Amino acid sequence: MRKIEHIGIAVKDIDSSNALFASLFGEAHYKIEDVEREGVKTSFFKCGPNKIELLQATTEDSPIAKFIEKKGEGIHHIAFAVDDIEKEIERLTAAGFNMIHKEPKKGADDKLIAFLHPKSTNGVLIELCQEINK
Ligand code: ZN
């Protein structure tokens, strides 16, 4: 793994959270993306070299809706950049980690992504992401 790619924060209302984080960072989000198949709407902020992703559920059975129901708003996941996501999934599976996704799938922000189950990582939901070569 190369570095933290972004931190994902689950929010109830992305419009009011966009305003809140824009005033926190002194800069508006640079991107909004609806990831329909995941039932989420996302927005991205830059803070120096770091990125923050806000996630709002767009359907009742969205993983974000379930997360907020259980834990409330807050940090949802930490994403790490990897060069070769398939190799990384293979390595982590062999090391005994429980992958939610055994195959990479297309996520927001032009990335291939896969999540690790938080049960195998001290309660932290971890996302792997690899830039899609354009
Ligand atoms: Zn993410």
Side-chain angles (χ1 to χ4, degrees):
M1 291 189 209
R2 282 197 291 119
K3 58 164 190 170
I4 292 179
E5 215 287 325
H6 62 267
I7 294 174
I9 298 176
V11 302
K12 284 183 184 161
D13 175 4
I14 203 159
D15 295 325
S16 64
S17 297
N18 278 340
L20 178 79
F21 278 81
S23 92
L24 179 69
F25 295 138
E27 205 174 315
H29 60 277
Y30 65 93
K31 185 180 214 177
I32 281 208
E33 201 175 331
D34 242 309
V35 190
E36 255 172 62
R37 64 197 170 278
E38 299 297 321
V40 294
K41 191 171 182 185
T42 65
S43 66
F44 288 87
F45 288 85
K46 282 198 179 110
C47 175
N50 302 120
K51 282 186 349 194
I52 299 292
E53 173 187 33
L54 303 184
L55 305 111
Q56 181 209 289
T58 52
T59 60
E60 267 170 38
D61 59 348
S62 156
I64 296 301
K66 287 179 194 152
F67 177 88
I68 287 181
E69 202 180 287
K70 257 207 225 152
K71 301 191 173 175
E73 294 181 297
I75 292 182
H76 176 257
H77 65 271
I78 301 177
F80 293 92
V82 300
D83 291 321
D84 183 338
I85 196 166
E86 286 181 27
K87 218 186 247 175
E88 223 27 44
I89 290 172
E90 214 178 279
R91 183 182 73 81
L92 294 169
T93 304
F97 290 96
N98 180 355
M99 298 296 306
I100 294 174
H101 307 110
K102 293 182 172 64
E103 301 283 335
K105 57 179 196 164
K106 177 118 180 14
D109 202 26
D110 299 315
K111 302 277 193 298
L112 284 175
I113 62 161
F115 279 92
L116 276 81
H117 200 287
K119 270 186 189 149
S120 64
T121 47
N122 287 151
V124 180
L125 180 60
I126 290 178
E127 174 184 12
L128 307 176
C129 47
Q130 179 197 318
E131 205 81 44
I132 296 175
N133 298 321
K134 286 175 229 162

